[in-house]
């Protein structure tokens, strides 16, 4: 017996010795595995121009309390080197660190067109190494202008309009572009034939345009992106995309590169400003770099030798729509063997002013298809397809008929009472596509350079009666990964969540737009800032805002003010709008631990604060802009109060951001500025009884949420806030600026029950009201349409406006209880608030560090709460309970469960500290017990 155990002990020791950090042990011993490697927020990005890119990964482990204590990154110039574990560009060596995100590359200088392959291994809490991750890659773009060989080419048509469309002044409305003066030209087609003589190792194309481009190579469309090169201030910067086209090249044969150009934002309608806001001459710049097996390189670039013509696309405009005449198709135009003898020589522009940079965002792509749910014929020969969902995108048409038959498609969000489409709210956006048949069989067509915001498609001129599948909806938006999920026992709340996500899908379209349907679709900064926190729950918005912050900074005015719209096309400044320049980078920092966005825009943010300081003697701001609490319900908040409140909020966030990037002196300076604004605000706007000037819900919300009151005045202000809600019979009166503060503030002041009341309300005005009126997205107004009164004023009435969807932040962060505690979800706050009559809620959020999930439900006299956290994070978990010993976890008293530490009782909740992994809490807490008492 004894002997045996000694042998066993020796054996065990041997295993211990052998299980050292050798490669075999790495395979088996690993308790955490790095996965989902990303570079600059993207998986395997091509053609970046960030020379110190940031790398990140996620860690997975089903076990509790898993930590990373070190990592080693290898970056190699070839796959072969990486496979041999040779980091010839960068071998970080073993770095003692628990960081997994935003790790700055520190290897050899990255040069134009370099290919980089990388992988990572990590060490866990016990010092055990993981296996190497799967390899990932990124490639460098063309880092300086001299690296480009290609010229800017195009095809200018005789008679093409060069200036902006004329404007007229209308009564009550002011200056607008006269819709009938709009003119559209056919899309230019460009092509170049060339020989590829030798076997190709790698073929890469870099492409950009003034206008939109669609690139083709040997008959195939290059890439899956639409609306490239994206929208930027083309006077200052224009982006290019990079594609690997190795598989499309035909060695030893004639090859053909081609492109179609369209007006897009550059020359087409933008907002209500009409056409040619940036310029009129469409230009393409593209170059194909062929790297041959023998080590030589050849470049096929746009220049005067390219051939040009027009073809079947007779008109293409983002707002107006697209017209296609299939009889004018040029079969094989983008392939070898096509006779371009009658095409003209392309025009060449020597240089353009704008900087050419790698696209830092995520392009628009097709993300889904929608089948009609209903087909009707409200007038003879006029068919209406109902797609059942309002969204941004377009329709694919299937049709059979005679050559010359013309089918016209019009798009709308709503129907008139007689079943015809309602288009008045589109204002001057024509939103009409047309297709002329070539005849001879089934024809399938989808436009390329336009999009509409719609639920209904009207089809006229269709030969015969269309089948239900004659129209298919194509959903388009910036293809950001979806990161949230939400479900509860309340169908209204679930529908609201769905509507919010659809609102985001439809409006995260290159830039955060206000709406996708009318002649507007601008990057309204106020809408963007109120919604960004919700947006960052629903989608991975890091790259999207990296890009948009450049638009915002490019739009900054001489005096330091951030604009109301970015890209800036319609000058204007407003409190609550320009502040996006502070609030958006701060949110990206909070959610993704991104300090670079702060560093990059710091100088611009300082200029904005200086602008505010200069116009605010004694720390009080005069009104800024006309917006105020936009679209409030007869409860205007004084505009000077709003401006001062946002000034305070900006100073407060600026102090945090300065600290985050090590500018401690600045942090102190901005903290002092904030303290002064606080004092001035209270002295000027707050009465001794806690009443605040304007006496509106929004005034109290700003004062409370932006921390503008001395602590002792908060309870009185909170009481007044409740009174204001009660006065409206427990309904809201907030506009764009107040609405998103409403529920979070109510929870902060210990009134979550009231928050639930507003969330689940269905009378006007409320989130639920529009749902009872048939909404499938969030609307611009609380009553954009009512069954009783019909449509709101068509001058401004969108059925797909995300601003009020900003309540999503509370649904994920408070109702489901998933939030970050500090930057970047390293420490997580799990604090769900069961209530509102809900019997369960289940939500997930795929954070930059991995998936977080909560699920709470009532069962008899118990509340159950399941929590899942990614490896290498920790969380503070609040479990509603009267006392700590009421809480069990996985069958044990929670305080004794592995990986859990009881911290304290706090406002009716037992608070625990937990490491990563999954937990199942059970608490003696009844559904009718209400909210945990008191303030947080
Ligand atoms: C837009 C809004 C925007 C507002 C501000 C409207 O036309 O649609 O979303 O914030 O103008 O002026």
């Amino acid at each position: 017996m004894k002997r045996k155990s000694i042998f066993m002990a020796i054996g065990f020791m041997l295993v211990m010795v052998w299980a050292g950090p050798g490669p075999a042990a790495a395979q088996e011993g690993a308790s955490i595995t790095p996965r989902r490697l990303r570079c600059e927020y993207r998986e395997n990005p091509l053609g970046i121009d960030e020379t110190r890119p940031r790398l990140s990964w996620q860690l997975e482990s089903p076990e509790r309390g898993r930590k990373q204590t070190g990592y080693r990154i290898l970056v190699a110039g070839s796959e072969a080197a990486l496979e041999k574990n040779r980091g010839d560009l960068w071998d970080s060596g073993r770095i003692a660190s628990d960081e997994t995100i935003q790790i700055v590359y520190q290897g050899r200088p990255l040069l134009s067109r370099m290919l980089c392959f990388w992988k990572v291994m990590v060490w866990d809490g016990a010092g055990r190494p993981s296996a190497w991750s799967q390899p990932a890659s990124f490639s460098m773009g063309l880092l300086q202008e001299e690296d480009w060989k290609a010229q800017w080419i195009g095809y200018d048509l005789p008679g093409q309009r060069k200036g902006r469309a004329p404007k007229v002044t209308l009564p009550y409305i002011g200056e607008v572009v006269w819709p009938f003066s709009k003119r559209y030209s056919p899309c230019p087609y460009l092509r170049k034939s060339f020989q590829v003589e030798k076997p190709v190792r790698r073929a890469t194309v870099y492409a950009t345009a003034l206008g939109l481009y669609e690139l083709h190579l040997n008959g195939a469309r290059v890439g899956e992106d639409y609306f490239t090169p994206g929208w930027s201030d083309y006077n200052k910067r224009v982006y290019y995309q990079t594609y690997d086209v190795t598989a499309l090249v035909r060695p030893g044969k004639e090859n053909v590169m081609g492109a179609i150009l369209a007006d897009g934002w550059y020359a087409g309608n933008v907002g209500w400003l009409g056409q040619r806001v940036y310029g009129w001459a469409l230009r393409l710049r593209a170059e194909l770099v062929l790297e041959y097996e023998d080590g030589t390189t050849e470049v096929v670039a746009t220049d005067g030798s390219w051939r040009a013509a027009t073809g079947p696309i007779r008109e293409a405009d983002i707002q107006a729509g697209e017209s296609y005449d299939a009889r004018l198709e040029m079969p094989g135009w983008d392939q070898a063997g096509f006779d371009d003898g009658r095409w003209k020589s392309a025009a060449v522009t020597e240089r353009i002013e704008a900087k050419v940079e790698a696209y830092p965002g995520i392009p628009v792509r097709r993300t889904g298809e929608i089948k009609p749910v209903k087909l009707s014929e409200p007038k003879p020969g006029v068919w209406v397809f109902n797609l059942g969902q309002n969204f941004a995108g377009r329709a694919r048409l299937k049709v059979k008929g005679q050559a010359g038959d013309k089918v016209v498609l019009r798009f709308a969000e709503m129907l008139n009472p007689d079943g015809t489409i309602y288009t008045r709210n589109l204002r001057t956006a024509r939103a009409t596509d047309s297709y002329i048949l070539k005849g001879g069989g089934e024809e399938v067509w989808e436009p390329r350079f336009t999009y509409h915001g719609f639920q209904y498609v009207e089809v006229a001129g269709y030969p015969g009666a269309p089948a239900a599948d004659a129209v298919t909806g194509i959903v388009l938006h910036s293809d950001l990964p979806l990161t949230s999920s939400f479900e509860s026992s309340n169908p209204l709340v679930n529908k609201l969540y769905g509507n919010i996500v659809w609102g985001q899908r439809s409006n995260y379209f290159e830039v955060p737009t206000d709406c996708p349907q009318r002649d507007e679709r601008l990057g309204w900064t106020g809408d963007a800032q109120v919604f960004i926190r919700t947006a960052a729950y629903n989608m991975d918005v890091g790259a999207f805002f990296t890009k948009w912050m450049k638009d915002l900074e490019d739009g900054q005015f001489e005096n330091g003010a951030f604009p109301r719209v970015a890209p800036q096309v319609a000058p204007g400044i407003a409190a609550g709008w320009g502040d996006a320049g502070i609030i958006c980078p701060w949110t990206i920092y909070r959610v993704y631990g991104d300090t670079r966005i702060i560093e990059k825009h710091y100088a611009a943010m300082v200029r904005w604060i200086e602008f505010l300081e200069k116009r605010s003697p004694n720390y009080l701001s005069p009104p800024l802009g006309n917006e105020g609490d936009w679209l409030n319900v007869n409860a205007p908040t004084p505009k000077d109060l709003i401006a001062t409140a946002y000034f305070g909020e900006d100073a407060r966030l600026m102090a945090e951001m300065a600290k985050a990037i090590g500018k401690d002196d600045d942090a102190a300076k901005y903290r002092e500025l904030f303290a002064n604004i606080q004092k001035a605000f209270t002295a000027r706007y707050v009465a001794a009884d806690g009443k605040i000037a304007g006496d509106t819900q929004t005034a109290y919300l700003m004062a409370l949420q932006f921390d503008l009151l001395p602590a002792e005045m908060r309870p009185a202000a909170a009481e007044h806030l409740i009174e204001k809600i009660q006065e409206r019979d427990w309904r809201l009166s907030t506009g764009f600026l107040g609405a998103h503060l409403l529920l979070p503030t109510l929870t902060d002041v210990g009134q979550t029950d009231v928050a639930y009341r507003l969330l689940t309300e269905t009378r006007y005005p409320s989130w639920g009201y529009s749902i009872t009126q048939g909404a499938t997205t969030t609307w611009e107004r609380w009553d954009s349409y009512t069954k009783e009164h019909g449509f709101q004023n068509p001058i401004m009435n969108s059925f797909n406006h995300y601003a009020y969807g900003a309540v999503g932040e509370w649904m994920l962060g408070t109702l489901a209880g998933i939030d970050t505690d500090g930057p970047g979800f390293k420490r997580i706050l799990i604090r769900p608030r069961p209530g509102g009559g809900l019997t369960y809620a289940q939500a997930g959020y795929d954070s930059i560090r991995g998936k977080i999930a909560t699920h709470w439900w009532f069962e008899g006299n118990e509340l159950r709460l399941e929590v899942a956290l990614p490896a290498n994070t920790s969380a503070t978990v609040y479990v509603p309970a009267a006392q700590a010993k009421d809480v069990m976890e996985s069958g044990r008293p929670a305080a004794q469960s592995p990986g859990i530490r009881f911290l304290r009782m706090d406002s009716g909740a037992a608070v625990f500290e937990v490491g990563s992994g999954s937990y199942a809490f059970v608490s003696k807490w009844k559904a009718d017990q209400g909210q945990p008492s008191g303030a947080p």
Side-chain angles (χ1 to χ4, degrees):
M1 257 318 259
K2 236 183 190 170
R3 261 193 192 172
K4 206 175 167 190
S5 55
I6 288 169
F7 278 127
M8 273 171 66
I10 292 170
F12 182 61
M13 278 160 63
L14 278 175
V15 170
M16 295 267 290
V17 171
W18 283 106
Q27 303 291 333
E28 289 148 29
S31 65
I32 42 177
T33 358
R35 59 178 278 274
R36 190 133 194 254
L37 274 59
R38 287 189 290 169
C39 169
E40 290 295 313
Y41 292 112
R42 290 167 290 169
E43 279 173 34
N44 306 323
L46 292 179
I48 63 169
D49 60 8
E50 183 57 72
T51 53
R52 291 169 61 241
R54 294 159 302 169
L55 307 175
S56 72
W57 57 88
Q58 295 181 353
L59 296 172
E60 230 170 39
S61 165
E63 294 153 60
R64 287 185 183 179
R66 289 301 163 211
K67 288 196 179 107
Q68 173 191 296
T69 56
Y71 65 79
R72 181 178 170 202
I73 295 171
L74 293 183
V75 185
S78 69
E79 275 172 293
L82 192 73
E83 211 172 290
K84 292 190 196 112
N85 298 337
R86 277 208 331 263
D88 51 8
L89 291 174
W90 187 35
D91 181 345
S92 71
R94 179 172 172 174
I95 308 278
S97 164
D98 63 354
E99 201 42 276
T100 58
I101 62 166
Q102 312 288 10
I103 293 166
V104 178
Y105 171 85
Q106 288 172 43
R108 288 170 49 191
L110 297 172
L111 310 173
S112 282
R113 305 211 284 109
M114 238 180 200
L115 269 193
C116 308
F117 300 90
W118 70 285
K119 59 185 178 182
V120 58
M121 71 190 288
V122 300
W123 282 265
D124 71 4
R128 285 177 302 177
S130 72
W132 284 108
S133 68
Q134 291 294 315
S137 66
F138 59 91
S139 74
M140 302 307 291
L142 302 177
L143 300 187
Q144 48 266 330
E145 177 58 31
E146 301 78 70
D147 295 331
W148 283 90
K149 304 271 180 303
Q151 292 179 303
W152 296 90
I153 66 164
Y155 182 41
D156 303 331
L157 301 167
Q160 202 176 329
R161 283 256 186 100
K162 297 192 169 63
R164 289 204 194 180
K167 291 190 178 159
V168 289
T169 305
L170 297 179
Y172 307 113
I173 295 170
E175 211 179 45
V176 292
V177 176
W178 186 235
F180 304 108
S181 67
K182 294 180 178 179
R183 295 280 177 278
Y184 305 96
S185 307
C187 288
Y189 283 63
L190 298 158
R191 77 188 299 275
K192 167 83 185 174
S193 146
F194 57 97
Q195 288 292 321
V196 176
E197 307 286 3
K198 300 183 278 185
V200 173
R201 193 195 322 141
R202 179 163 69 125
T204 311
V205 67
Y206 305 88
T208 180
L210 300 177
L212 302 178
Y213 74 85
E214 180 176 287
L215 204 66
H216 290 228
L217 188 56
N218 296 324
R221 186 182 195 279
V222 172
E224 297 173 341
D225 308 337
Y226 287 88
F227 296 89
T228 48
W231 186 8
S232 52
D233 183 341
Y234 299 107
N235 299 315
K236 296 187 175 154
R237 120 189 29 247
V238 54
Y239 293 119
Y240 66 88
Q241 281 74 30
T242 303
Y243 299 99
D244 183 338
V245 290
T246 314
L248 296 179
V249 172
R250 307 188 327 153
K253 298 198 170 105
E254 184 197 353
N255 283 249
V256 171
M257 207 164 135
I260 314 171
L261 298 180
D263 288 356
W265 295 279
Y266 181 75
N269 285 293
V270 170
W272 58 84
L273 300 140
Q275 298 168 288
R276 298 173 290 275
V277 166
Y278 297 98
W280 63 273
L282 306 184
R283 290 292 179 265
L284 170 76
R285 187 194 221 189
E287 64 187 57
L288 171 66
V289 179
L290 297 161
E291 291 167 61
Y292 295 116
E293 294 281 10
D294 66 6
T296 58
T297 299
E298 202 177 327
V299 180
V300 181
T302 45
D303 61 21
S305 72
W306 281 54
R307 310 292 291 158
T310 59
I313 306 180
R314 305 315 292 162
E315 297 181 345
D317 181 85
I318 289 177
Q319 293 179 8
E322 207 159 308
S323 307
Y324 190 90
D325 187 343
R327 296 170 305 181
L328 302 178
E329 280 175 356
M330 306 171 289
W333 73 274
D334 55 356
Q335 289 171 36
F338 179 83
D339 177 11
D340 61 17
R342 290 173 58 192
W343 288 36
K344 304 278 184 318
S345 293
V348 177
T349 298
E350 281 308 324
R351 50 168 275 123
I352 65 155
E353 288 305 317
K355 273 189 262 171
V356 181
E357 292 179 0
Y359 186 70
I362 293 183
V364 172
R365 299 194 185 106
R366 304 155 105 258
T367 63
E369 299 198 351
I370 301 184
K371 287 196 174 73
V373 293
K374 201 175 159 198
L375 171 58
S376 55
E377 192 185 10
K379 283 199 259 173
V382 176
W383 304 89
V384 173
F385 290 77
N386 178 356
L387 298 181
Q389 173 65 52
N390 194 352
F391 67 101
R394 51 203 177 209
R396 184 175 61 221
L397 174 72
K398 208 160 85 176
V399 62
K400 214 166 149 179
Q402 309 273 312
D405 285 352
K406 184 175 176 183
V407 181
V408 178
L409 294 86
R410 297 199 305 142
F411 298 82
E413 296 180 289
M414 300 291 279
L415 295 181
N416 291 308
D418 66 359
T420 57
I421 58 170
Y422 174 80
T423 56
R424 285 181 64 200
N425 69 325
L426 307 185
R427 303 194 307 216
T428 72
R430 192 181 67 184
T432 304
D433 296 345
S434 67
Y435 180 79
I436 299 177
L437 281 74
K438 59 188 169 206
E442 187 174 275
E443 300 176 39
V444 177
W445 176 69
E446 182 190 326
R448 302 164 152 93
F449 300 114
T450 190
Y451 79 94
H452 314 291
F454 67 104
Q455 174 173 339
Y456 300 93
V457 187
E458 182 200 83
V459 177
Y462 198 91
D469 69 347
V471 163
T472 305
I474 309 293
V475 182
L476 291 163
H477 55 88
S478 292
D479 191 13
L480 317 180
L482 278 176
T483 49
S484 74
S485 62
F486 178 92
E487 196 199 301
S488 76
S489 58
N490 185 327
L492 182 89
V493 176
N494 298 346
K495 181 69 183 166
L496 176 58
Y497 167 77
N499 288 3
I500 293 168
V501 176
W502 272 111
Q504 181 168 355
R505 275 197 193 103
S506 317
N507 283 299
Y508 271 36
F509 203 111
E510 246 311 284
V511 307
T513 64
D514 55 335
C515 57
Q517 73 297 83
R518 68 183 179 220
D519 57 353
E520 188 146 4
R521 316 183 194 189
L522 299 177
W524 284 98
T525 49
D527 309 37
Q529 70 88 358
V530 300
F531 190 68
I532 184 174
R533 185 65 190 87
T534 297
Y537 273 117
N538 292 336
M539 294 181 190
D540 210 322
V541 299
F544 186 76
F545 275 95
T546 302
K547 186 258 173 196
W548 189 66
M549 274 309 296
K550 289 194 190 205
D551 298 335
L552 189 50
E553 182 165 337
D554 281 346
Q556 189 169 30
F557 299 109
E558 282 288 297
N559 62 4
F562 285 122
R564 284 186 316 173
V565 293
Q568 202 294 101
V569 285
I573 311 170
W577 271 251
D579 309 85
I582 303 285
I583 294 165
C584 293
W586 180 80
T587 307
I588 297 301
Y589 159 66
R590 287 282 296 176
V591 175
Y592 305 109
D594 187 339
T595 47
R596 185 171 286 172
I597 198 162
I598 302 176
E599 281 157 1
K600 281 211 166 145
H601 301 287
Y602 195 76
M605 293 193 276
V606 168
R607 288 183 58 214
W608 164 253
I609 299 276
E610 285 169 359
F611 162 78
L612 295 177
E613 280 183 291
K614 215 181 273 171
R615 66 185 302 282
S616 311
N618 304 319
Y619 309 103
L620 291 169
S621 300
L624 184 56
N626 280 324
E627 276 72 4
D629 185 19
W630 188 245
L631 297 184
N632 65 78
V633 187
N634 304 320
T637 302
K639 288 177 185 154
D640 52 336
L641 180 148
I642 293 178
T644 304
Y646 266 100
F647 182 26
E649 177 70 346
D650 291 345
R652 191 173 72 90
L653 301 184
M654 199 61 186
E656 282 189 33
M657 287 192 279
K659 184 158 172 266
I661 60 166
K663 292 187 184 289
D664 291 343
D665 292 351
D666 281 13
K669 184 175 86 185
Y670 291 121
R671 266 197 301 273
E672 195 188 319
L673 175 62
F674 173 56
N676 286 327
I677 300 168
Q678 259 179 332
K679 263 183 247 146
F681 183 92
T682 307
R684 170 78 180 77
Y685 297 114
V686 189
D689 63 356
K691 282 238 167 166
I692 298 181
D695 198 25
T696 60
Q697 294 177 13
T698 293
Y700 294 107
L701 290 169
M702 285 184 179
L704 288 162
Q705 193 62 30
F706 297 168
D707 199 11
L708 294 164
L709 303 174
E712 66 277 10
M713 302 207 83
R714 289 178 67 86
E719 252 171 59
H720 294 309
L721 169 64
I722 302 299
E723 278 159 28
K724 299 314 290 180
I725 297 171
Q726 193 175 7
E727 235 170 59
R728 298 263 175 158
D729 196 13
W730 300 102
R731 276 168 286 171
L732 53 79
S733 66
T734 47
F736 277 29
L737 297 184
H740 81 116
L741 306 176
L742 199 40
L743 306 198
T745 308
L746 286 167
T747 290
D748 283 354
V749 300
Q751 298 282 357
T752 298
D753 283 337
V754 180
Y756 267 114
R757 217 165 154 166
L758 296 176
L759 181 76
T760 53
E761 176 62 67
T762 53
R763 294 168 302 162
Y764 169 80
S766 66
W767 286 279
Y769 182 68
S770 66
I771 293 172
T772 65
Q773 307 304 301
T776 61
T777 43
T778 42
W779 291 351
E780 181 167 25
R781 300 165 181 267
W782 300 112
D783 59 350
S784 285
Y785 169 83
T786 72
K787 290 176 184 161
E788 211 184 331
H789 304 296
F791 294 106
Q792 257 281 8
N793 187 346
I795 295 285
M796 216 187 74
N797 195 25
S798 143
F799 291 88
N800 205 347
H801 235 73
Y802 61 57
Y804 286 143
V807 66
E809 163 183 355
W810 187 86
M811 295 164 68
L812 269 298
T814 305
L815 191 163
I818 301 173
D819 205 349
T820 186
D821 188 2
F825 283 90
K826 180 87 174 81
R827 274 205 63 85
I828 295 163
L829 180 64
I830 300 291
R831 192 173 189 182
R833 315 280 183 144
L838 272 57
T839 58
Y840 77 89
Q842 188 168 11
Y845 169 58
D846 198 357
S847 77
I848 188 161
R849 293 178 200 270
K851 176 127 182 160
I852 303 167
T854 60
H855 180 190
W856 60 256
W857 71 101
F858 291 103
E859 223 176 274
N861 289 335
E862 289 168 351
L863 170 68
R864 294 178 179 249
L865 170 63
E866 289 179 356
V867 177
L869 304 164
N872 199 43
T873 63
S874 60
T876 312
V877 181
Y878 284 67
V879 184
Q883 45 185 349
K885 66 176 181 10
D886 286 353
V887 186
M888 304 285 285
E889 194 281 322
S890 298
R892 274 177 270 225
Q896 290 158 28
S897 213
I900 303 185
R901 202 155 60 86
F902 171 68
L903 294 178
R904 61 180 184 276
M905 288 302 297
D906 183 353
S907 324
V911 187
F912 301 94
E913 157 92 22
V914 307
S916 68
S918 301
Y919 300 85
F921 296 94
V922 182
S923 170
K924 286 190 193 140
W925 189 269
K926 281 182 277 185
D928 57 8
Q929 208 153 329
Q931 274 300 306
S933 61

